[in-house]
Amino acid sequence: MTCMACLVIHGGAGTIPRASFTPASYQQARDGLQEALRAGWAVLRDGGLALDAVEAAVIALENHPSFNAGHGAVLNAAGDHELDAAIMDGRDRRAGAIASARAIRNPVIAARRVMEDSDCVLLSASGADAFAREQGLDMVAQSYFTTDLRRRHWLRAQEEKAGLLIRARSEAEKHGTVGAVAFDDAGNLAAATSTGGYTYKRAGRVGDAPVIGAGTYACNGVVAVSCTGLGEYFIRRGTAHDIAARIRYRGDNLVSAADAAIAELTEDGCGAGLIAVDGAGNIAMPYNTEGMYRGSIAADGTLSIGIYADDFAMLELIK
Ligand code: ASP
């Protein structure tokens, strides 16, 4: 039987301007995308669930320092990390999320536990950390999340506040997110998103990633979506659910529904991107920024990754 499954990942629309990449950091980010795709694919290839695949892919991205989630997350205005994540199962629209967590090594695992082992959808702050601890998840000191790069981004944000900055901050210095959407062999959809949010965000600020229907959404037969960009815009527009509604109620195709959502965010002045897969395994990855870290294994078996418009290319035929 041919495998119809497919998987799409993103590492955020807050990409480094091309000129600022070193060959090593460019390769590091691409390797991170590939590792995450392969982690998710190891699940789907063997007939596994879309839900398990998106979790596996997001764990790999959280563990990789190139992306703003888990290890490598940005610092808030107080110089701390507060992490948001969500996961959603398209089979029954069950969902779990955590917001402003401070000590959970892999926020997406905690989000899944909220979905499966609590009667809540969203747990926040010390309540989220306490729940993860009770669940026996890996807990870490804040320093685990910090990288030298994120410390430099924080210092530049502080200088900008003080009016001392000569060169404007890039999108990469401000934000990023990771996410995955998948369609499995049984036709199920799932989505997961994880982020450190925005550099220098106000302590306690929660973005769109853990808000179901804003940054994350999945419904079998319709679509699975994971978003990236300034969360406040996505929350106000209910972007991920808006894409589902366009497809479900109006019969829009995936690409036009996803493009319409990005067009509205562009009108808002929001640098935005998203990944989506529909109930037939079609995929879309629109963005309006200079680049978006992204990768896919499409139904035809092509494994592709890229960061900008012109470097997105097939690496191998995987099926
Ligand atoms: N959506 C994230 C947030 O607002 C940031 C991003 O994706 O760039 O927290």
Side-chain angles (χ1 to χ4, degrees), residues 84 175-177 195 197-198 205 207-209 227-232:
D84 299 340
H175 66 114
T177 283
T195 188
Y198 257 70
R205 177 264 188 190
D208 58 316
C227 300
T228 171
L230 184 58
E232 282 71 9

Side-chain angles (χ1 to χ4, degrees), residues 8-10 12-13 179 181 208 214-216 223-229 234 239-243 254-255 257-263 265 271-277 283-289 291-294:
V8 190
I9 61 166
H10 72 83
V181 295
D208 58 316
T216 309
V223 74
V225 184
S226 172
C227 300
T228 171
F234 291 77
T239 301
H241 186 268
D242 179 62
I243 293 168
L254 177 74
V255 169
D259 285 351
I262 292 294
L265 290 159
L274 63 90
I275 54 171
V277 56
I283 64 182
M285 302 175 249
Y287 59 93
N288 65 9
T289 44
M292 178 168 80
Y293 299 103
R294 61 203 188 284

Side-chain angles (χ1 to χ4, degrees), residues 26 37 109 194 235 311:
Y26 181 73
L37 270 180
I109 301 179
S194 181
I235 294 171
D311 69 349

Side-chain angles (χ1 to χ4, degrees), residues 38-263:
R38 291 188 197 281
W41 188 245
V43 175
L44 292 173
R45 180 191 55 206
D46 297 331
L49 278 178
L51 183 68
D52 292 329
V54 295
E55 184 184 17
V58 168
I59 290 171
L61 291 162
E62 287 178 342
N63 291 345
H64 198 282
S66 292
F67 311 110
N68 173 19
H71 176 57
V74 301
L75 292 151
N76 71 9
D80 297 329
H81 299 278
E82 292 186 329
L83 309 176
D84 299 340
I87 193 162
M88 186 160 186
D89 187 344
R91 288 177 300 177
D92 46 13
R93 276 171 284 108
R94 283 198 310 161
I98 55 147
S100 302
R102 299 170 67 94
I104 305 169
R105 186 177 198 275
N106 285 110
V108 73
I109 301 179
R112 182 156 180 186
R113 294 292 179 92
V114 170
M115 177 175 88
E116 290 178 343
D117 290 325
S118 84
D119 49 10
C120 315
V121 168
L122 173 57
L123 278 176
S124 71
S126 57
D129 285 322
F131 172 77
R133 208 168 275 119
E134 266 169 42
Q135 290 277 320
L137 300 191
D138 271 1
M139 306 301 286
V140 289
Q142 285 261 300
S143 57
Y144 164 77
F145 302 116
T146 315
T147 59
D148 287 347
L149 183 71
R150 295 308 184 193
R151 217 176 272 118
R152 284 202 299 277
H153 291 169
W154 185 83
L155 285 170
R156 286 197 17 99
Q158 205 177 39
E159 284 170 12
E160 186 180 75
K161 277 254 167 246
L164 298 171
L165 215 57
I166 296 160
R167 181 174 54 82
R169 290 191 301 142
S170 70
E171 292 288 310
E173 294 177 74
K174 294 182 190 162
H175 66 114
T177 283
V178 308
V181 295
F183 172 76
D184 65 30
D185 252 349
N188 301 307
L189 293 170
T193 312
S194 181
T195 188
Y198 257 70
T199 301
Y200 226 80
K201 68 185 180 183
R202 176 180 282 275
R205 177 264 188 190
V206 175
D208 58 316
V211 178
I212 299 302
T216 309
Y217 194 73
C219 179
N220 270 16
V222 185
V223 74
V225 184
S226 172
C227 300
T228 171
L230 184 58
E232 282 71 9
Y233 291 103
F234 291 77
I235 294 171
R236 291 196 285 254
R237 288 212 177 258
T239 301
H241 186 268
D242 179 62
I243 293 168
R246 286 171 190 274
I247 295 171
R248 188 167 176 196
Y249 307 138
R250 223 168 55 168
D252 286 8
N253 69 46
L254 177 74
V255 169
S256 58
D259 285 351
I262 292 294

Side-chain angles (χ1 to χ4, degrees), residues 14-21 25 66 149 170-172 290 293 307-308:
T15 54
I16 296 175
R18 206 162 199 151
S20 312
F21 261 124
S25 59
S66 292
L149 183 71
S170 70
E171 292 288 310
E290 183 181 350
Y293 299 103
I307 300 172
Y308 303 102

